[in-house]
Amino acid sequence: MNAKSHIQSYSLFGETSELEDELHVESIRARSKRHNWELKPHRHARLHQLLFLTGGGGEVELDGRSLALPPPCIVNVPRGVVHGFQFAPGTVGTVVTLTSHLLDHCLTGSDRLRAALSNAVVLPQPPNLHSLTKGIEEEYHVPGFGRTEVLRGLAGAVLARIARCIDQTLGDGKKGQSNPLFARFEMLLERDFRLRRSLADYAAELAVSPTHLNRIVQRSTGHSASQQVNDRVLREARRLLIYTNLTAAEVAYDLGFSDPAHFSRVFTNGTGVAPGIFRRQIEAGATSPKQAVTQSNSNPTRGET
């Protein structure tokens, strides 16, 4: 298979085996130096990553956007987001990787935290996070009695602090996304967006009427439920057109369209350009990375350069 026929999906960068633990901690140097301080664009299907830079710097690419990494800063990388790094040699910091299972354990009943953490962002690191991340490092590398429980507690505290920072940075625009039904809808959408399910199908699985589901999504995002479904498909289409060499027709089939012409119409209506033109604009630099991935994207990134 051609190396660009799909987006690389790893456990940790360069690895395909599952994590042995619910949480993994390593220095930025440990993996980056082996790859000349560059981690090419990839994504994690079932992992959430947090990077804490305390020295050095560089750039991160998050779904096509290039963001500066001025230390001390945090990078929040939700599962599924395509990301790559170019670190300055000698960059100092820590990478904390959490499994979806641990994330769900920490965020049970906390839909507003989950909504905040669904955003791929770079933020200044608040001073009150340093002691918590240091505690995670120490507990992970020097295990003792009750290690799992301590790591879970520290991970929950770190996630809550970061979610608070994201919530404050994004402002009131995301605060409506705390409805449990909306959170369940988002999880179903993430699981099934390639299946081209109707809104009625999603509503039936959630045991509500399509009208009620649409009302909740509208209240949470300002958009209709159908637009939310469409936006998720378009976001994946943009990723595939940017990061792979799949043809527009191959992208259409990958996303569950039986007719490439139908996909082309949906893409053009959603982004303003046809898939082929979109790719040529990206390759020529005529469309900015921000425009490329964020059009109709309900999860904006802060700190674009």
Side-chain angles (χ1 to χ4, degrees):
M1 181 179 288
N2 188 295
K4 285 194 67 182
S5 64
H6 65 292
I7 300 172
Q8 291 288 351
S9 184
Y10 297 122
S11 178
L12 297 176
F13 185 80
E15 300 180 14
T16 56
S17 59
E18 296 294 325
L19 292 188
E20 295 181 0
D21 211 339
E22 290 185 322
L23 180 147
H24 180 84
V25 180
E26 67 180 19
S27 67
I28 289 174
R29 177 188 180 93
R31 196 167 301 265
S32 303
K33 188 178 181 183
R34 301 202 304 263
H35 297 278
N36 197 30
W37 298 96
E38 180 181 7
L39 303 182
K40 295 189 180 298
H42 61 285
R43 60 180 166 188
H44 310 292
R46 294 179 294 277
L47 301 175
H48 188 108
Q49 283 195 319
L50 305 169
L51 286 84
F52 304 89
L53 276 74
T54 55
E59 288 189 348
V60 60
E61 184 175 335
L62 294 171
D63 268 348
R65 310 162 192 165
S66 293
L67 292 78
L69 297 173
C73 67
I74 308 163
V75 187
N76 181 64
V77 186
R79 63 186 180 187
V81 171
V82 180
H83 59 288
F85 294 92
Q86 181 64 65
F87 295 110
T91 291
V92 179
T94 303
V95 183
V96 178
T97 304
L98 304 92
T99 64
S100 295
H101 174 77
L102 178 57
L103 192 72
D104 291 340
H105 172 82
C106 293
L107 300 180
T108 299
S110 303
D111 298 307
R112 184 168 170 183
L113 297 184
R114 190 184 296 277
L117 290 166
S118 70
N119 297 280
V121 293
V122 175
L123 297 171
Q125 181 172 322
N128 59 14
L129 263 181
H130 180 72
S131 60
L132 288 174
T133 55
K134 197 69 178 174
I136 286 180
E137 286 184 72
E138 293 173 354
E139 193 68 30
Y140 182 82
H141 292 295
V142 187
F145 179 71
R147 173 178 181 268
T148 298
E149 288 69 26
V150 172
L151 284 174
R152 283 181 173 182
L154 289 170
V158 167
L159 289 168
R161 289 278 176 84
I162 293 176
R164 180 186 295 170
C165 291
I166 295 172
D167 187 70
Q168 292 171 346
T169 301
L170 295 182
D172 293 335
K174 289 283 179 179
K175 291 182 180 178
Q177 297 186 3
S178 59
N179 187 288
L181 179 62
F182 176 78
R184 288 164 56 207
F185 170 66
E186 279 201 314
M187 286 190 286
L188 290 181
L189 179 57
E190 189 63 30
R191 186 192 73 186
D192 293 343
F193 70 89
R194 279 184 167 86
L195 301 180
R196 306 292 295 152
R197 299 180 71 186
S198 68
L199 184 60
D201 288 338
Y202 284 111
E205 185 163 348
L206 293 167
V208 297
S209 69
T211 301
H212 182 65
L213 176 59
N214 191 63
R215 185 184 304 116
I216 293 300
V217 175
Q218 182 81 34
R219 187 181 303 156
S220 297
T221 67
H223 304 296
S224 69
S226 295
Q227 183 175 338
Q228 193 79 358
V229 173
N230 198 52
D231 288 350
R232 181 61 188 92
V233 172
L234 289 176
R235 186 159 73 249
E236 194 68 16
R238 289 190 290 269
R239 287 172 175 168
L240 292 171
L241 289 168
I242 293 171
Y243 291 109
T244 77
N245 59 8
L246 294 175
T247 66
E250 289 171 330
V251 170
Y253 293 133
D254 183 86
L255 294 176
F257 288 85
S258 59
D259 179 8
H262 180 209
F263 164 71
S264 183
R265 289 193 297 272
V266 170
F267 189 91
T268 302
N269 288 337
T271 66
V273 294
I277 295 174
F278 172 86
R279 174 170 273 164
R280 289 195 291 274
Q281 288 178 341
I282 292 297
E283 292 172 347
T287 299
S288 74
K290 180 181 177 182
Q291 291 171 327
V293 184
T294 59
Q295 291 169 341
S296 302
N297 185 347
S298 61
N299 292 328
T301 302
R302 290 300 185 262
E304 292 90 350
T305 57

